[in-house]
Amino acid sequence: MKLSKLLPALDWLKTYSKSDFQQDTVSSIVFTIMVIPQSLAYAMLAGLPAVTGLYASILPSILYSLFGTSRILAVGPVALTSVMTASVIMPSAVSGTEQYATIAILLALLSGVFLLVLSLLRLGFLTNLLSHPVISGFISASALLIVIGQIKYLLGIQSEGDTLIPLTTSLFAHITDINTPTFILSVVSISALLFVRRNFARFLKYIGCSVKIVQLFGKSGPVIIVAITTISVAVLSLDQDGVSIVGAIPSEIPSINPELIDLEMIWQLLPGAFLITIVGFIGSVSVAQSFAAKRRQDINPNQELVGLGLANIGSALSGAFPVTGGFSRTVLNADCGAKKPMTGIFSAVFILLILLFLTPLFFYLPKAILAAIISISMMQLVNLEDLRYLWRFSRKEAILLLVTFFIVLIDGMQSGLIVGVILSLLFFLWHTSHPHIAIVGRLPGTEHFRNVQRFSVETHPSILTVRIDENLFFANARSLEERLQGLVSQNKEIKHLVLMCTAINMIDASALQSLEKIADRLNDAEVQLHLSEVKGPVMDKLEGSDLIKNLSGKIFITQHQAIKELEEKQANT
């Protein structure tokens, strides 16, 4: 095996130039400045000290840059995995305690191990169990819960709970305790953030900044708002009036305290850790593939498991929480002009320098501005268009989205995701257990065969051709038996039944037994069974079976050949 497959960084490092270095350095500085408020906010979202978001942005970013295959994906704290982390830990520990921090680190470690195991076993396909409606409903509901959870910081009140009913009940119970300075700061912050998001790039153009400056700093407006609010809190001593601030940042990086962990706790965390792993991986690979397609680059999903697995282990070693590749973080990285994964390494170094020398600047950072940043970002993830589209396209999938959405809101993220996956599998089993079976005939003047209910086709009264549009296995074997038996019993003129196997790619033992029963019953009814267009892998399985040994009819290469020969046979009888 080539060393570059184990360490993809070797590929891009071979062609890394001085101009790349200069571009990545500038991009990394801008990216670091802009991503710091987001990282602090997402740590708070996970129920951890804000500075933990910076811990989670250093070693994970370096490790992914070296072992991941995406040239642009930015790995670090992400809103969804952050809130999932909080929802997994809250039943076992209280936010702000040593036990809470220990469990968060353990979750990152478990997630990293899960990702590496999935890579070794090449089980990345398990992520396919999450269908689009499930993911859409899950993300929309989670985003809504996140926004509701941030209201307590925006109003300066106390609130408990991690699902809709406890959250709203707690908020209403404390609504009279609103802290006026915090509320004013929140309103001003949200208004300012929305304004600069839409107009800051225009403002830079208006004052005569170059296109390059606008591209680099056009989205840096939130950083200015963060700086202004922090200075305002410090100058006006708003913390003395009840405005909650980040406060002193601890100099020691937290670590796992073995005394606070036992096997029972680890066992309880495994389902939550696995869900965080799957959701994080799906989101990360989706983002990586979308950007890779735009840049005509390749993504290796199995190596992505390795890169993200090592990133999470790195996060655990840093005293942080589960991380993954984030959409907003990656868009920010691309907008800053990142060309190579070196930007991930440079930005990690810059964040480390900030942690070492500039942490006092975060003392007066108000939690309200972080909550405002989170809320604005999350509201963009509440997607009503998906529901409208699915309601027109597939009511079943729209219902699946709604069920996932409401269960996440009412009973939590884990329950919603599990129920969504189970319903997806049940819908799949229902669909495959009721295969589309069409009676087909020949289009006049051609060798093509189509559904008699959709096209004007030629048929023969004593020849019935049935096309099965599904693989044959235990779930639909009985349905196939009943349908074929019904078709034959309804038409006494039928002498030949041809199974057109164009769409059958797989057959299992249960389906084979059903076909053997069908053949026996047809033989008793003096109807010959024929097969046409059987694919090689399916034929390999059928050879040597009792079905082939006792087949009353023939196996035809093409459907046209079958009909031509059988029509001639009927004409001569």
Side-chain angles (χ1 to χ4, degrees), residues 393-405:
F393 178 75
S394 171
R395 293 287 174 90
K396 290 178 184 175
E397 291 184 281
I399 291 170
L400 180 59
L401 185 155
L402 287 171
V403 169
T404 304
F405 179 85

Side-chain angles (χ1 to χ4, degrees), residues 480-518:
L480 176 65
E481 278 187 58
E482 293 174 353
R483 182 67 191 280
L484 293 181
Q485 186 70 32
L487 289 173
V488 173
S489 63
Q490 290 167 14
N491 192 339
K492 304 300 181 182
E493 295 184 38
I494 294 174
K495 299 298 179 184
H496 300 275
L497 173 60
V498 184
L499 291 186
M500 189 174 174
C501 305
T502 317
I504 300 175
N505 299 307
M506 181 275 289
I507 184 170
D508 72 358
S510 298
L512 178 57
Q513 286 184 346
S514 289
L515 287 177
E516 290 170 353
K517 289 179 185 177
I518 291 167

Side-chain angles (χ1 to χ4, degrees), residues 448-466:
H448 302 294
F449 291 77
R450 294 292 184 268
N451 192 329
V452 297
Q453 294 181 347
R454 294 177 179 271
F455 296 88
S456 177
V457 294
E458 298 172 343
T459 59
H460 194 284
S462 61
I463 303 171
L464 176 66
T465 297
V466 175

Side-chain angles (χ1 to χ4, degrees), residues 45 80 83 87 137-151 161-168 171 374-375 378-379 382 404-414:
L45 195 57
L80 205 52
V83 77
S87 68
F138 174 77
I139 290 176
S140 292
S142 300
L144 198 55
L145 281 178
I146 289 169
V147 173
I148 295 171
Q150 296 310 298
I151 293 176
D162 56 357
T163 56
L164 182 64
I165 295 173
L167 275 172
T168 52
L171 284 171
I374 292 171
S375 299
M378 289 302 98
M379 283 308 296
V382 179
T404 304
F405 179 85
F406 284 112
I407 291 180
V408 169
L409 283 181
I410 295 167
D411 201 45
M413 296 182 185
Q414 291 186 61

Side-chain angles (χ1 to χ4, degrees), residues 163-183:
T163 56
L164 182 64
I165 295 173
L167 275 172
T168 52
T169 302
S170 182
L171 284 171
F172 279 116
H174 295 89
I175 199 70
T176 56
D177 301 330
I178 292 176
N179 180 266
T180 303
T182 301
F183 177 70

